[in-house]
Every structure is written in C-alpha cells, then in structure tokens.
Amino acid sequence: MAELNGQFYEDVLWVKHWTDRLFSFKIARPPSFRFRSGEFVMIGLPREEGKPIMRAYSIASPSYAEELEFLSIKVADGPLTSKLQLIQPGDKVLMGKKPTGTLVHDALKPGKRLFMFSTGTGLAPFLSVARDPETYEKFEKVIVTHTVRDVAELAYRDLWERELFEDELIGEEARKQFLYYPSVTRENFVRQGRITTLIENGQIFRDLNLGIEGFNPEEDRAMMCGSMAMIQDVAALMEKAGLEEGSNASPGDYVIERAFVG
Ligand code: A2P
C-alpha cells in the first residue's frame, strides 16, 4: 500500500478544469480506506523539504466509489491550491487517513425532505450524499441547491440534470425524489439570487412544488456547505423556523460544514 509521511500516497487519475477558479480531480482509492458519504479528508502534496501542506477537502464520491473525487478552488497565491491546480494524471497526491465530518446521515434526525444548500466548492459533499442510496431510503425528497457567481461555476450541471437519473444504482429513485436547484448571483441565468433570498421570499418552495411555504421542523432536514456567510445566514433562517443544529454525537435537524478555502 502506497504511503508517505504517514498519509496515503495515491495516483491522480483524472483532472477537469471547470473555470479559472474551479477544478476537479480523482485519485485512486486505497483499498483499506473507508468513509461515510459527506465526510471530508485532508489532501496535500509531497514537498522536498518540511511538512506537507494539507487542507480539508470534502470527498465528492459516494462511500461505495472505487475512485475518490474532489472539487477545489484555485487560488493564485494559495499555499496548496496554487500547486494543486497544476496536477496531471500520473502525479501523486497525499491523503490523510481519517475521514470525518458532520454532513452525514448519522448527524440528522429522520425527516421527509433533505435540503442540501451549497455555494461554490461547498457542492462537493452533496455529490457524495446525493449519490448514496441511503439518502433515498431515508428521505422522500432530496434537494441540492447550488449558488455561484457565474453560470460557468455551476459545476456538475450535467450530472445533476441527466447522469444522476441514468445512474444504475440510484437513477430510479433519483427520477422520483431528486431535485436540483441552481442559482447565479452575478450573471444572467434562469434563476438569479442568493439562496437566502430565495428562501425568504418563498420562491424555492414554489419553484420546487414542495407543497410548503417554509421549513417545517417536523419534516425538513438540511445540510449546508460553502461560504461562512451563507452558512450563517441559512442557519439563522433554520433557527427562525424552529430547526435545531445537530452533530454526530447529538443528531438534529440541520448540520453545517465550511467549504475549504485558500
Ligand atoms: P454574491 O455574488 O451575491 O456575493 P463566493 O464565490 O464568494 O464563495 O460566493 C459564492 C456564492 O455565494 C455567490 O453566488 C454569493 O453571492 C453567495 N453568497 C455569498 N454570501 C452569501 C450569504 N451570506 N448568503 C447567501 N449567499 C451568499
């Protein structure tokens, strides 16, 4: 088994650049590595000298996947991403051994609808959770929202709008239960505005035909991942509606995780 500095040391298999700010990559899955859909892990690059710089990355693959996919921003002077954005298939990446995180089923009470609210690379854990069969067993409706500045940053649109419904494992459930809700804030798009605005003015509930006008603490559960500001503002809306934050130790109605930055 490939290891370096006490970390997994794995081959890069695939890289895709979405925009000059956003890219995805896949690495080989170490056979002994287990994780729960929605968890994050430390990712880094080996360095000639000194300790490697490691950053938290949500695993975008579901727990049964044979390869591990990640979604990353590119920061020109970012200690890790300035170099990570240059990786090519065949290069090596370090991965920590302990996946962890709160965007998991274990941290949520049972419910009827699962909302997954994301901005930017905060979409990553929901690529995992929304492809896990357990999600469709536990919830009647599964909703992924993704808000970005520009249309080009709506990464994985083809997956959400087509591939998911054709998936051998969860396609049938997804066709009945899954809803994708993208919005763009700084460019023309069919749906514009921050998710907070779309919740507050009730547009999301009308657009998705959910038969509700706001969140119901008895039925709605949520996960949030993305910018700190978005998480805080959506959490405030949840609290106002009577939903309570959960954790692995004490499951609740919503859970949060800040997306990796820098
Ligand atoms: P906006 O363009 O109005 O700032 P970023 O690229 O900075 O991480 O932002 C990603 C998306 O998150 C943008 O569309 C941005 O909208 C939105 N956003 C930023 N802050 C908030 C917030 N407090 N509540 C909801 N959405 C937010």
Side-chain angles (χ1 to χ4, degrees):
M1 192 167 54
E3 281 190 27
L4 189 73
N5 298 339
Q7 323 271 1
F8 290 120
Y9 186 55
E10 295 298 328
D11 279 330
V12 174
L13 303 173
W14 170 93
V15 182
K16 175 174 175 137
H17 293 268
W18 302 94
T19 68
D20 57 3
R21 294 214 305 155
L22 205 61
F23 74 108
S24 294
F25 60 96
K26 274 186 200 171
I27 65 171
R29 180 176 185 160
S32 65
F33 180 74
R34 291 194 205 170
F35 69 101
R36 296 177 295 173
S37 296
E39 286 189 314
F40 67 83
V41 72
M42 302 307 284
I43 288 284
L45 288 171
R47 288 211 296 186
E48 305 237 321
E49 279 175 36
K51 271 186 133 186
I53 302 160
M54 306 287 289
R55 293 281 187 270
Y57 274 89
S58 289
I59 303 168
S61 310
S63 57
Y64 55 83
E66 286 169 19
E67 298 168 351
L68 301 177
E69 186 163 348
F70 301 91
L71 174 60
S72 179
I73 48 166
K74 306 177 194 177
V75 182
D77 56 356
L80 178 61
T81 62
S82 60
K83 299 186 182 69
L84 193 65
Q85 63 176 288
L86 304 174
I87 53 168
Q88 308 259 359
D91 291 347
K92 294 276 193 183
V93 162
L94 292 168
M95 184 177 79
K97 293 200 161 169
K98 288 205 176 76
T100 182
T102 53
L103 304 178
V104 291
H105 285 299
D106 295 344
L108 286 179
K109 290 181 181 166
K112 192 167 168 185
R113 289 172 291 268
L114 175 61
F115 289 88
M116 293 177 259
F117 297 108
S118 70
T119 57
T121 56
L123 181 71
F126 305 144
L127 285 156
S128 177
V129 176
R131 286 187 283 179
D132 190 325
E134 192 183 340
T135 304
Y136 297 90
E137 285 161 24
K138 292 200 161 158
F139 296 94
E140 286 175 26
K141 287 280 177 223
V142 175
I143 302 127
V144 167
T145 84
H146 193 203
T147 306
V148 292
R149 297 181 187 189
D150 309 321
V151 178
E153 291 179 336
L154 286 175
Y156 295 96
R157 249 177 109 184
D158 199 45
L159 186 149
W160 298 127
E161 292 179 344
R162 189 181 55 82
E163 285 169 36
L164 192 74
F165 304 119
E166 294 169 4
D167 189 281
E168 282 188 358
L169 192 64
I170 49 127
E172 199 182 329
E173 285 82 1
R175 286 197 289 278
K176 288 184 229 137
Q177 296 166 252
F178 179 81
L179 296 162
Y180 171 55
Y181 197 70
S183 74
V184 173
T185 51
R186 301 193 192 184
E187 215 178 43
N188 273 334
F189 186 62
V190 287
R191 188 173 309 102
Q192 280 176 279
R194 291 181 169 195
I195 194 65
T196 39
T197 310
L198 299 166
I199 295 170
E200 281 177 297
N201 66 19
Q203 195 183 325
I204 182 172
F205 306 107
R206 290 190 296 276
D207 286 346
L208 296 178
N209 245 324
L210 294 173
I212 48 171
E213 288 171 11
F215 298 114
N216 175 348
E218 302 298 316
E219 298 182 340
D220 292 307
R221 302 293 172 255
M223 296 178 169
M224 285 91 94
C225 188
S227 79
M228 204 60 210
M230 180 280 286
I231 289 171
Q232 283 171 347
D233 289 355
V234 177
L237 294 173
M238 295 286 154
E239 295 282 339
K240 206 168 128 192
L243 281 79
E244 291 174 2
E245 187 175 353
S247 66
N248 275 286
S250 172
D253 308 317
Y254 73 89
V255 281
I256 63 176
E257 205 113 83
R258 186 182 184 174
F260 162 73
V261 280

Short mmCIF file of all heavy atoms in Angstrom, two decimals, residues 21 118-121 147-150 153 183-186 193-197 226-234 261, ligand 1:
data_model
loop_
_atom_site.label_atom_id
_atom_site.label_comp_id
_atom_site.label_asym_id
_atom_site.label_seq_id
_atom_site.Cartn_x
_atom_site.Cartn_y
_atom_site.Cartn_z
N ARG A 21 -11.22 29.39 -11.80
CA ARG A 21 -11.30 29.40 -10.33
C ARG A 21 -11.61 28.04 -9.73
O ARG A 21 -11.63 27.86 -8.51
CB ARG A 21 -12.42 30.35 -9.87
CG ARG A 21 -12.23 31.81 -10.16
CD ARG A 21 -12.83 32.69 -9.07
NE ARG A 21 -14.24 32.42 -8.81
CZ ARG A 21 -14.83 32.69 -7.64
NH1 ARG A 21 -14.14 33.20 -6.65
NH2 ARG A 21 -16.11 32.42 -7.48
N SER A 118 -25.66 24.67 -0.97
CA SER A 118 -24.23 24.89 -1.19
C SER A 118 -23.96 26.16 -1.98
O SER A 118 -24.80 26.63 -2.76
CB SER A 118 -23.64 23.70 -1.95
OG SER A 118 -24.10 23.66 -3.28
N THR A 119 -22.76 26.72 -1.75
CA THR A 119 -22.21 27.74 -2.64
C THR A 119 -20.82 27.26 -3.05
O THR A 119 -20.13 26.60 -2.27
CB THR A 119 -22.07 29.12 -1.94
OG1 THR A 119 -21.24 28.98 -0.79
CG2 THR A 119 -23.41 29.68 -1.53
N GLY A 120 -20.43 27.60 -4.28
CA GLY A 120 -19.08 27.30 -4.76
C GLY A 120 -18.68 25.85 -4.59
O GLY A 120 -19.45 24.94 -4.92
N THR A 121 -17.48 25.61 -4.02
CA THR A 121 -17.00 24.24 -3.85
C THR A 121 -17.73 23.51 -2.72
O THR A 121 -17.50 22.33 -2.50
CB THR A 121 -15.49 24.20 -3.55
OG1 THR A 121 -15.25 25.02 -2.39
CG2 THR A 121 -14.67 24.71 -4.72
N THR A 147 -25.47 27.72 -5.41
CA THR A 147 -25.43 29.14 -5.80
C THR A 147 -23.98 29.54 -6.07
O THR A 147 -23.09 29.26 -5.27
CB THR A 147 -26.02 30.04 -4.69
OG1 THR A 147 -27.32 29.57 -4.35
CG2 THR A 147 -26.12 31.48 -5.17
N VAL A 148 -23.80 30.17 -7.21
CA VAL A 148 -22.45 30.61 -7.63
C VAL A 148 -22.56 32.00 -8.25
O VAL A 148 -23.65 32.48 -8.55
CB VAL A 148 -21.86 29.63 -8.66
CG1 VAL A 148 -21.55 28.28 -8.03
CG2 VAL A 148 -22.80 29.42 -9.84
N ARG A 149 -21.40 32.61 -8.47
CA ARG A 149 -21.39 33.96 -9.06
C ARG A 149 -21.74 33.93 -10.55
O ARG A 149 -22.58 34.68 -11.01
CB ARG A 149 -20.01 34.57 -8.92
CG ARG A 149 -19.59 34.78 -7.49
CD ARG A 149 -18.23 35.42 -7.46
NE ARG A 149 -17.71 35.49 -6.11
CZ ARG A 149 -16.61 36.15 -5.78
NH1 ARG A 149 -15.92 36.77 -6.71
NH2 ARG A 149 -16.21 36.17 -4.53
N ASP A 150 -21.05 33.04 -11.30
CA ASP A 150 -21.22 32.98 -12.76
C ASP A 150 -21.73 31.61 -13.20
O ASP A 150 -21.43 30.61 -12.56
CB ASP A 150 -19.87 33.22 -13.47
CG ASP A 150 -19.19 34.48 -12.96
OD1 ASP A 150 -19.91 35.46 -12.72
OD2 ASP A 150 -17.96 34.45 -12.80
N GLU A 153 -19.59 28.51 -13.24
CA GLU A 153 -19.22 27.88 -11.96
C GLU A 153 -20.25 26.86 -11.49
O GLU A 153 -20.06 26.24 -10.44
CB GLU A 153 -19.02 28.96 -10.90
CG GLU A 153 -17.79 29.81 -11.17
CD GLU A 153 -17.58 30.91 -10.15
OE1 GLU A 153 -18.56 31.33 -9.50
OE2 GLU A 153 -16.44 31.36 -10.01
N SER A 183 -28.69 28.48 -8.71
CA SER A 183 -28.94 29.91 -8.90
C SER A 183 -27.62 30.65 -9.04
O SER A 183 -26.58 30.20 -8.55
CB SER A 183 -29.79 30.50 -7.76
OG SER A 183 -29.06 30.64 -6.58
N VAL A 184 -27.68 31.77 -9.76
CA VAL A 184 -26.48 32.54 -10.11
C VAL A 184 -26.70 33.97 -9.64
O VAL A 184 -27.80 34.51 -9.78
CB VAL A 184 -26.25 32.46 -11.64
CG1 VAL A 184 -25.12 33.37 -12.07
CG2 VAL A 184 -25.97 31.02 -12.06
N THR A 185 -25.64 34.58 -9.07
CA THR A 185 -25.84 35.91 -8.48
C THR A 185 -25.25 37.07 -9.29
O THR A 185 -25.62 38.22 -9.07
CB THR A 185 -25.24 35.96 -7.05
OG1 THR A 185 -23.90 35.48 -7.10
CG2 THR A 185 -26.06 35.14 -6.09
N ARG A 186 -24.30 36.80 -10.18
CA ARG A 186 -23.65 37.95 -10.83
C ARG A 186 -23.70 37.90 -12.35
O ARG A 186 -22.89 38.51 -13.03
CB ARG A 186 -22.19 38.06 -10.36
CG ARG A 186 -22.08 38.22 -8.86
CD ARG A 186 -20.72 38.63 -8.40
NE ARG A 186 -20.63 38.50 -6.94
CZ ARG A 186 -19.59 38.85 -6.23
NH1 ARG A 186 -18.52 39.37 -6.81
NH2 ARG A 186 -19.59 38.69 -4.92
N GLY A 193 -30.11 35.08 -7.87
CA GLY A 193 -30.25 35.47 -6.47
C GLY A 193 -29.62 34.49 -5.51
O GLY A 193 -29.39 33.32 -5.83
N ARG A 194 -29.32 35.01 -4.33
CA ARG A 194 -28.77 34.19 -3.26
C ARG A 194 -29.83 33.23 -2.74
O ARG A 194 -31.02 33.57 -2.73
CB ARG A 194 -28.30 35.09 -2.12
CG ARG A 194 -27.10 35.92 -2.47
CD ARG A 194 -26.69 36.75 -1.27
NE ARG A 194 -25.37 37.36 -1.49
CZ ARG A 194 -24.65 37.89 -0.53
NH1 ARG A 194 -25.10 37.93 0.72
NH2 ARG A 194 -23.46 38.40 -0.80
N ILE A 195 -29.41 32.09 -2.26
CA ILE A 195 -30.35 31.10 -1.75
C ILE A 195 -31.14 31.65 -0.56
O ILE A 195 -32.31 31.34 -0.37
CB ILE A 195 -29.64 29.76 -1.41
CG1 ILE A 195 -30.66 28.64 -1.22
CG2 ILE A 195 -28.74 29.89 -0.17
CD1 ILE A 195 -31.43 28.27 -2.44
N THR A 196 -30.49 32.51 0.22
CA THR A 196 -31.17 33.10 1.38
C THR A 196 -32.39 33.92 0.93
O THR A 196 -33.45 33.85 1.54
CB THR A 196 -30.19 34.00 2.15
OG1 THR A 196 -29.37 34.71 1.22
CG2 THR A 196 -29.31 33.17 3.07
N THR A 197 -32.20 34.67 -0.17
CA THR A 197 -33.32 35.47 -0.70
C THR A 197 -34.42 34.55 -1.21
O THR A 197 -35.61 34.79 -0.98
CB THR A 197 -32.81 36.34 -1.88
OG1 THR A 197 -31.64 37.02 -1.45
CG2 THR A 197 -33.86 37.32 -2.34
N GLY A 226 -20.37 25.64 2.25
CA GLY A 226 -19.95 26.71 1.34
C GLY A 226 -19.35 27.85 2.12
O GLY A 226 -18.66 27.63 3.12
N SER A 227 -19.62 29.07 1.67
CA SER A 227 -19.03 30.24 2.34
C SER A 227 -19.61 30.37 3.74
O SER A 227 -20.78 30.05 3.99
CB SER A 227 -19.30 31.51 1.53
OG SER A 227 -20.61 31.98 1.76
N MET A 228 -18.77 30.86 4.64
CA MET A 228 -19.17 31.02 6.04
C MET A 228 -20.41 31.92 6.15
O MET A 228 -21.32 31.63 6.92
CB MET A 228 -18.00 31.66 6.80
CG MET A 228 -18.02 31.38 8.26
SD MET A 228 -17.93 29.61 8.57
CE MET A 228 -18.82 29.50 10.09
N ALA A 229 -20.41 32.98 5.35
CA ALA A 229 -21.54 33.93 5.41
C ALA A 229 -22.84 33.24 5.03
O ALA A 229 -23.87 33.41 5.70
CB ALA A 229 -21.26 35.11 4.48
N MET A 230 -22.80 32.44 3.97
CA MET A 230 -24.01 31.74 3.54
C MET A 230 -24.49 30.76 4.63
O MET A 230 -25.67 30.71 4.97
CB MET A 230 -23.75 30.98 2.23
CG MET A 230 -24.92 30.21 1.67
SD MET A 230 -25.27 28.60 2.41
CE MET A 230 -23.95 27.59 1.76
N ILE A 231 -23.53 30.01 5.17
CA ILE A 231 -23.89 29.02 6.20
C ILE A 231 -24.57 29.70 7.38
O ILE A 231 -25.61 29.26 7.87
CB ILE A 231 -22.62 28.27 6.68
CG1 ILE A 231 -22.14 27.35 5.57
CG2 ILE A 231 -22.90 27.49 7.94
CD1 ILE A 231 -20.79 26.74 5.88
N GLN A 232 -23.97 30.80 7.83
CA GLN A 232 -24.53 31.51 8.99
C GLN A 232 -25.92 32.05 8.70
O GLN A 232 -26.83 31.95 9.52
CB GLN A 232 -23.60 32.66 9.40
CG GLN A 232 -22.38 32.15 10.15
CD GLN A 232 -21.34 33.23 10.38
OE1 GLN A 232 -21.40 34.30 9.78
NE2 GLN A 232 -20.38 32.93 11.23
N ASP A 233 -26.08 32.60 7.50
CA ASP A 233 -27.37 33.20 7.16
C ASP A 233 -28.46 32.13 6.98
O ASP A 233 -29.60 32.31 7.40
CB ASP A 233 -27.26 34.06 5.89
CG ASP A 233 -26.46 35.34 6.15
OD1 ASP A 233 -26.10 35.58 7.33
OD2 ASP A 233 -26.19 36.08 5.19
N VAL A 234 -28.10 31.00 6.36
CA VAL A 234 -29.09 29.92 6.20
C VAL A 234 -29.40 29.30 7.57
O VAL A 234 -30.55 29.02 7.88
CB VAL A 234 -28.65 28.85 5.18
CG1 VAL A 234 -29.66 27.72 5.10
CG2 VAL A 234 -28.46 29.46 3.79
N VAL A 261 -11.20 26.71 2.06
CA VAL A 261 -10.84 27.98 1.40
C VAL A 261 -9.33 28.19 1.41
O VAL A 261 -8.65 27.76 2.33
CB VAL A 261 -11.52 29.21 2.05
CG1 VAL A 261 -12.94 29.34 1.59
CG2 VAL A 261 -11.46 29.13 3.57
P1 A2P B 1 -22.96 37.15 -4.17
O1 A2P B 1 -22.45 37.13 -5.58
O2 A2P B 1 -24.22 37.95 -4.02
O3 A2P B 1 -21.91 37.55 -3.18
P2 A2P B 1 -18.08 33.11 -3.35
O4 A2P B 1 -17.68 32.85 -4.78
O5 A2P B 1 -17.71 34.46 -2.84
O6 A2P B 1 -17.69 32.00 -2.41
O7 A2P B 1 -19.69 33.10 -3.34
C1 A2P B 1 -20.41 32.03 -3.86
C2 A2P B 1 -21.87 32.38 -3.89
O8 A2P B 1 -22.35 32.54 -2.54
C3 A2P B 1 -22.14 33.70 -4.59
O9 A2P B 1 -23.19 33.49 -5.51
C4 A2P B 1 -22.51 34.65 -3.47
O10 A2P B 1 -23.43 35.64 -3.82
C5 A2P B 1 -23.15 33.69 -2.47
N1 A2P B 1 -23.15 34.24 -1.11
C6 A2P B 1 -22.18 34.95 -0.51
N2 A2P B 1 -22.52 35.30 0.73
C7 A2P B 1 -23.76 34.81 0.94
C8 A2P B 1 -24.68 34.85 2.03
N3 A2P B 1 -24.38 35.48 3.17
N4 A2P B 1 -25.87 34.24 1.88
C9 A2P B 1 -26.18 33.62 0.73
N5 A2P B 1 -25.37 33.55 -0.34
C10 A2P B 1 -24.17 34.13 -0.24
#
